[in-house]
Amino acid sequence: MGFEGTQAYLSAFAKSEERLNGRPARSLHELRRSAIGRFEELGFPGSRDEAWFHTNIAPLVRKPFRTTTPEDARRAWKSEHPIQELTATRLVFVNGFYSAEDSSTGSLPNGVRACSLAELKASETDWVEGNIARHADYDEHAFVALNTAFLQDGALIYVPRGTAVETPIHVVFVSTASGVPSISHPRTLVLAEENSQVTIIESYTGDGAYFTNAVTEVIADDSAIVDHYKLELESPKAYHIATMQSRQGARTDLSTHAISIGGRLVRNEVNALLAGEAGEATVNGFYLTDREQHIDNHTLIEHAEPNCNSHELYKGILGGRSSGVFRGKIHVHQKAQETDAYQSNQSLLVSEGADINTKPQLEIYADQVKCSHGATIGQLDENAVFYLRSRGLSHATAQRILVHAFAVDILNRIKPESVRNYLERIVMEKFEQAREAGNAP
């Protein structure tokens, strides 16, 4: 089925609903209908929308995409996973459909659920229906509405009260073009109950031209600890739009790291709500672009309760004729006294044709706070390059050392060693490829 503009998505939804006939649950059927109605009202964002001013999605909207069936997805996919050396519980989704034969979920502690939405029994859906689409707002976000409208399957992770999951849970979303551009709407829902602990890795990869429209909701109840990593490793021809919304209770510690390396056009929205006292939020990101890539990062950290801390660091390396956007806001509510918040965006331009638009923001309504933000844009330090060359290193080696030092500041904050080593390797490989192709100095 072809997708071309808003009307095509509405037509595709009608056919999808006819096929599903209310499955997987009546309440989700009603949720989908509400979301498509809101999408019809909103339409796709354009250049007049301030939040999208620097990101032109016209090529995405005009391009025809096709939904696929589970059978199409299975036939087109080669059974490969990123980070082969990672020891983890694994959920694999191909074009949005769960692949049980490629997944591995047998080593979880009692009571922990890591599974597919479509596989849930009727008796297990209460906590899902009480949380899904209740945090990622589709009323004002067209792509969230579109994802919710086409919600059929997704990754569901539930950690009961007082449980620590020692092994990471890796959710792998794979997209395939199947001969024509395809579209999928990955969905992830995480509920970590009181005093629980879990590490979650989301990775997005694929082959060919396709559109990934992803939504992740993470709910951390009181005193929960959640480490979250998103690895955007899409095909160079791919489009990737994603929204992550987290909600934290009292005394929680939630960290998220968004790593963006692949894709033709990428838009990441990361929204964190500190909804309980004495919460801690860490929101970090790294992006690496070359050729004519465009990566847009929007973040919002809301301090809604007193005595909470947030730390945010986004770093980017841009080469070729690529472009990037960073727009981050820290919003401190009037009630949120004794807030301590820090935000920084650092960009390194390694070619004359690269461009970055950055806008860190503070919106503060409380009196007793400690908040700061900043942004820097620079190039490789020629004095540092000269110093390294004076010690006998080649020009290329000196550049690699400086780029590595810039990137490793973020990558070293990634706790799983295999993930950290994997990202460090592919970052340096991509920079070297860009340098050899003339997209970096």
Side-chain angles (χ1 to χ4, degrees):
M1 140 188 347
F3 279 51
E4 195 172 26
T6 303
Q7 191 58 45
Y9 285 89
L10 300 177
S11 175
F13 173 81
K15 294 179 181 179
S16 174
E17 282 294 273
E18 183 179 349
R19 185 178 71 255
L20 288 171
N21 193 27
R23 297 191 305 273
R26 184 84 187 159
S27 59
L28 291 181
H29 171 73
E30 295 169 355
L31 173 64
R32 292 195 298 266
R33 292 182 63 85
S34 173
I36 199 65
R38 187 56 183 152
F39 171 73
E40 183 175 13
E41 294 173 356
L42 291 170
F44 286 109
S47 58
R48 294 184 180 181
D49 295 278
E50 184 180 358
W52 292 84
F53 182 76
H54 295 292
T55 297
N56 178 17
I57 64 168
L60 168 62
V61 175
R62 290 195 301 261
K63 196 173 185 68
F65 293 99
R66 184 178 72 89
T67 55
T68 61
T69 66
E71 293 73 23
D72 291 336
R74 289 298 307 150
R75 283 194 296 268
W77 184 47
K78 300 174 183 178
S79 183
E80 297 176 356
H81 310 292
I83 325 179
Q84 295 283 353
E85 63 271 26
L86 175 65
T87 301
T89 296
R90 186 172 62 238
L91 300 175
V92 178
F93 293 80
V94 183
N95 288 5
F97 300 106
Y98 181 60
S99 177
E101 56 266 44
D102 295 298
S103 301
S104 174
T105 60
S107 58
L108 294 169
N110 289 336
V112 176
R113 294 285 276 139
C115 61
S116 154
L117 167 64
E119 290 192 337
L120 282 181
K121 300 175 183 177
S123 60
E124 298 178 306
T125 60
D126 288 348
W127 70 268
V128 175
E129 295 174 4
N131 285 288
I132 201 161
R134 301 295 184 266
H135 307 281
D137 180 20
Y138 66 78
D139 283 340
E140 301 299 330
H141 295 81
F143 287 102
V144 177
L146 192 63
N147 175 288
T148 306
F150 285 89
L151 175 61
Q152 296 183 40
D153 203 351
L156 304 176
I157 299 169
Y158 166 74
V159 185
R161 180 182 295 107
T163 301
V165 183
E166 295 182 2
T167 303
I169 298 174
H170 186 194
V171 186
V172 183
F173 291 107
V174 181
S175 294
T176 64
S178 302
V180 295
S182 64
I183 184 171
S184 64
H185 302 277
R187 192 85 183 206
T188 303
L189 175 63
V190 178
L191 176 58
E193 289 190 335
E194 296 95 329
N195 294 297
S196 64
Q197 184 171 350
V198 65
T199 297
I200 298 160
I201 302 163
E202 291 181 68
S203 62
Y204 296 83
T205 186
D207 181 43
Y210 55 86
F211 173 24
T212 301
N213 178 36
V215 173
T216 298
E217 295 173 290
V218 178
I219 302 97
D221 287 343
D222 293 354
S223 300
I225 300 174
V226 178
D227 285 331
H228 175 266
Y229 304 92
K230 180 198 171 185
L231 315 180
E232 184 275 299
L233 310 169
E234 302 278 27
S235 157
K237 298 180 181 179
Y239 299 85
H240 182 97
I241 307 290
T243 297
M244 175 186 170
Q245 176 68 60
S246 63
R247 185 184 190 280
Q248 298 179 230
R251 302 172 303 282
T252 52
D253 188 344
L254 188 149
S255 65
T256 180
H257 295 71
I259 311 297
S260 297
I261 294 175
R264 176 182 174 183
L265 185 153
V266 176
R267 162 81 171 218
N268 297 308
E269 291 199 22
V270 179
N271 306 315
L273 172 61
L274 289 153
E277 287 196 47
E280 190 98 5
T282 300
V283 178
N284 290 337
F286 175 81
Y287 44 101
L288 173 63
T289 64
D290 67 356
R291 297 181 178 86
E292 295 184 351
Q293 275 186 279
H294 178 82
I295 294 183
D296 181 344
N297 289 293
H298 269 55
T299 68
L300 171 63
I301 302 176
E302 289 201 74
H303 287 257
E305 294 292 335
N307 301 300
C308 292
N309 302 326
S310 67
H311 321 274
E312 180 175 9
L313 174 60
Y314 266 69
K315 303 187 79 169
I317 301 173
L318 299 97
R321 297 180 58 83
S322 67
S323 55
V325 178
F326 173 80
R327 187 183 178 99
K329 178 188 286 188
I330 295 174
H331 178 197
V332 182
H333 295 230
Q334 185 174 6
K335 183 181 180 182
Q337 302 295 335
E338 304 300 332
T339 287
D340 190 339
Y342 172 75
Q343 178 190 81
S344 177
N345 174 227
Q346 301 172 22
S347 302
L348 182 63
L349 305 181
V350 295
S351 70
E352 293 183 359
D355 178 69
I356 180 72
N357 288 281
T358 179
K359 186 179 180 181
Q361 299 171 271
L362 298 177
E363 189 173 329
I364 302 172
Y365 297 97
D367 298 322
Q368 300 175 26
V369 301
K370 181 181 178 182
C371 297
S372 62
H373 65 170
T376 61
I377 301 172
Q379 298 175 324
L380 289 175
D381 187 340
E382 289 302 323
N383 290 329
V385 172
F386 177 80
Y387 174 82
L388 292 172
R389 294 195 67 187
S390 71
R391 295 300 185 269
L393 300 179
S394 69
H395 190 265
T397 301
Q399 289 178 334
R400 284 196 296 270
I401 289 173
L402 294 177
V403 166
H404 179 267
F406 183 85
V408 81
D409 181 29
I410 283 286
L411 300 182
N412 276 347
R413 302 173 191 228
I414 295 175
K415 295 178 183 178
E417 183 179 5
S418 55
V419 177
R420 185 172 63 250
N421 293 340
Y422 172 80
L423 289 174
E424 188 172 344
R425 183 174 69 252
I426 64 173
V427 164
M428 297 313 300
E429 286 176 355
K430 180 172 180 178
F431 174 76
E432 184 61 23
Q433 291 168 1
R435 191 187 64 80
E436 292 178 353
N439 292 316

